[in-house]
Amino acid sequence: MADSIETWVRKVLAQDRRAIARAISAVESGGARSTALLKSLFPASGKAQVIGVTGSPGAGKSTLVEKLAGAYRSAGARVGIIAVDPTSPFSGGALLGDRIRMQNLAGDKDIYIRSMATRGQLGGLAPTTHDVVTVLDAAGCDVVLIETVGVGQDEVEVARLADATALLLVPGMGDEVQTFKAGVMEIADLYVINKADLPGAERVEQEVEAMLSLAACRDGWRPPIIRAIATTGSGIGEVRQALEQFQRFQEQSEGRDKRRRSYWRGRLLEMLRRNLFEKVVSERLPSEALDRLVNDLLEHRADPYSLVDKIVAESLKDGQTPSDT
Ligand SMILES: Nc1nc2c(ncn2[C@@H]2O[C@H](COP(=O)(O)OP(=O)(O)O)[C@@H](O)[C@H]2O)c(=O)[nH]1
Ligand SMILES: [Mg+2]
């Protein structure tokens, strides 16, 4: 039953749905197989437009993502959806009506939907989200939409991974716009005032406009503010247009390269950090050794600064350098 990695990769590149689903599962569980797959898939990735959709729980992200996916499909694009939001209907955590709706989307063979467990209760990007994007991208998705719950740091994280980030706001969150200001508002390339059928849309829009007029224009792009009613699909065409406009702007201004460059710099260092850490811990610090060191610290026979220096120095001396592996 088991394909060789080579065959498996070939099937993923040939857009075999089962192979893609299995690849995503493998990548999510990590380990050697995941690394082998990703090494082969990586060269075929880098073409998809990665779009982050973020905002508070209940803002309508899933509804909007579903409609937006439909809009991209109508234009002939192949679409991947990753839902990191624990309350997302994509993960089956919502009302029955939502789940039925998602089944319609799931019937389309050019849409791939994956919901991912979050790192903690607070939500956030699952550590393997990046790798799942690589699989979908290599498998020929033109667009990958990532829905993530809006709780501060995660939005910043999705914004690093994404080529474009849309932030959903809803009427009645005037005060929230104020608190969002601190860091989250700045990551948006596009603001969507969703639930524009409810009273108060105008006020949120004014708040965002006021905030934008104060903020410096980021690299010459002024994020548009679009009103939408995700449930009816109103404004979804405009959202797609604005995203495409941003994509063109980014390509012309080399903003996309700049963003991806900064992303890969951070990602490479992060991967290196994790890899080195795991190697050092597994090779140098079996739990008895760790216990002994902790005892030394408790008794103040050793200080943690010197211990860390010593462990690092010994690992670098004996261990393989990355180029040997
Ligand atoms: N009135 C109104 N309700 C909406 C709109 N968009 C989404 N909703 C509803 O808001 C609720 C939360 O939507 P959902 O997409 O699950 O939000 P998420 O938590 O951000 O993913 C659902 O009951 C949707 O039907 C909208 O534009 N107007
Ligand atoms: Mg959701």
Side-chain angles (χ1 to χ4, degrees):
M1 165 237 133
D3 286 334
S4 68
I5 294 280
E6 242 178 25
T7 311
W8 193 355
V9 165
R10 199 151 23 81
K11 285 184 177 172
V12 171
L13 298 179
Q15 306 175 359
D16 174 326
R17 283 186 76 86
R18 260 177 55 84
I20 295 169
R22 282 174 51 229
I24 293 173
S25 302
V27 158
E28 278 183 300
S29 28
R33 242 162 36 119
S34 160
T35 310
L37 273 173
L38 288 164
K39 281 179 182 171
S40 298
L41 291 174
F42 187 80
S45 69
K47 298 185 201 88
Q49 174 78 355
V50 181
I51 298 168
V53 175
T54 191
S56 307
K61 299 179 296 295
S62 300
T63 315
L64 182 114
V65 162
E66 188 232 351
K67 289 291 190 338
L68 196 56
Y72 276 106
R73 284 294 301 122
S74 307
R78 304 180 72 232
V79 181
I81 297 173
I82 302 174
V84 192
D85 182 350
T87 62
S88 167
F90 297 116
S91 57
L95 305 168
L96 186 61
D98 279 333
R99 244 180 284 158
I100 289 167
R101 199 153 47 75
M102 290 312 147
Q103 275 168 11
N104 292 337
L105 207 56
D108 184 329
K109 68 170 179 42
D110 285 318
I111 291 195
Y112 301 86
I113 302 174
R114 194 64 164 210
S115 58
M116 300 188 66
T118 53
R119 199 170 30 203
Q121 314 168 288
L122 281 178
L125 281 193
T128 52
T129 308
H130 309 260
D131 297 330
V132 174
V133 171
T134 300
V135 174
L136 289 170
D137 187 345
C141 285
D142 303 294
V143 178
V144 177
L145 300 167
I146 306 178
E147 176 192 350
T148 185
V149 71
V151 277
Q153 183 52 34
D154 319 307
E155 283 135 325
V156 178
E157 234 185 289
V158 81
R160 286 195 331 121
L161 167 63
D163 295 310
T165 300
L167 176 61
L168 263 67
L169 302 168
V170 290
M173 59 180 299
D175 294 343
E176 245 180 292
V177 171
Q178 299 297 320
T179 57
F180 261 149
K181 264 185 201 175
V184 170
M185 292 297 269
E186 281 124 59
I187 56 121
D189 302 304
L190 170 73
Y191 295 88
V192 180
I193 313 290
N194 191 40
K195 307 200 182 184
D197 54 318
L198 301 182
E202 196 157 333
R203 182 155 166 245
V204 195
E205 189 172 332
Q206 284 164 358
E207 297 250 3
V208 177
E209 245 158 28
M211 184 214 62
L212 285 178
S213 68
L214 294 175
C217 231
R218 214 184 331 116
D219 296 328
W221 174 259
R222 194 186 158 85
I225 308 168
I226 296 165
R227 285 199 209 183
I229 307 171
T231 35
T232 65
S234 162
I236 300 300
E238 285 86 339
V239 171
R240 204 196 103 206
Q241 271 168 20
L243 285 166
E244 284 173 354
Q245 210 177 343
F246 180 64
Q247 184 178 355
R248 279 194 300 276
F249 173 84
Q250 284 289 80
E251 277 159 11
Q252 280 156 18
S253 66
E254 283 160 22
R256 174 156 142 163
D257 285 353
K258 197 171 138 198
R259 201 179 276 202
R260 288 191 172 186
R261 177 176 290 276
S262 126
Y263 166 72
W264 279 113
R265 171 179 258 274
R267 177 92 193 281
L268 187 62
L269 291 173
E270 169 57 28
M271 285 173 69
L272 187 61
R273 193 173 68 87
R274 198 178 319 156
N275 191 302
L276 282 174
F277 175 76
E278 280 166 10
K279 277 211 168 86
V280 169
V281 169
S282 72
E283 285 165 17
R284 296 262 145 209
L285 287 179
S287 63
E288 320 83 72
L290 186 58
D291 286 343
R292 267 199 311 277
L293 295 183
V294 171
N295 283 337
D296 289 347
L297 292 178
L298 284 174
E299 305 287 336
H300 287 254
R301 280 193 297 265
D303 73 87
Y305 314 96
S306 306
L307 285 183
V308 168
D309 278 348
K310 190 163 160 253
I311 294 166
V312 169
E314 281 172 1
S315 302
L316 288 178
K317 195 165 61 197
D318 304 350
Q320 294 176 310
T321 59
S323 61
D324 296 331
T325 57

